Amino acid sequence: MRITIDTDRCIGAGQCALTAPEVFTQDDDGFSALLPGREDGAGDPLVREAARACPVQAISVTDD
């Protein structure tokens, strides 16, 4: 799985971090970021739900 965050589109709503806190966090400016070592989603079943929860569709998830 490959997770991409469009940092130009992200508004820092935090829905990703609330939905999949084992994969997403917010950086010092409040924008979405991937936790170190979790760039591939770490098998978390909530990653796709987190992408759907993003109000501006800044997160894309693709299968490798």
Side-chain angles (χ1 to χ4, degrees):
M1 173 183 311
R2 180 178 170 178
I3 305 165
T4 305
I5 301 170
D6 184 340
T7 55
D8 291 330
R9 183 176 262 190
C10 180
I11 61 171
Q15 294 303 307
C16 56
L18 290 172
T19 305
E22 300 295 319
V23 177
F24 296 96
T25 189
Q26 289 180 286
D27 65 17
D28 292 339
D29 295 321
F31 296 105
S32 180
L34 293 167
L35 289 168
R38 303 294 184 170
E39 293 84 0
D40 64 353
D44 192 322
L46 296 175
V47 169
R48 292 184 193 283
E49 182 59 34
R52 282 191 289 273
C54 180
V56 294
Q57 289 10 170
I59 302 168
S60 57
V61 179
T62 56
D63 292 319
D64 288 341

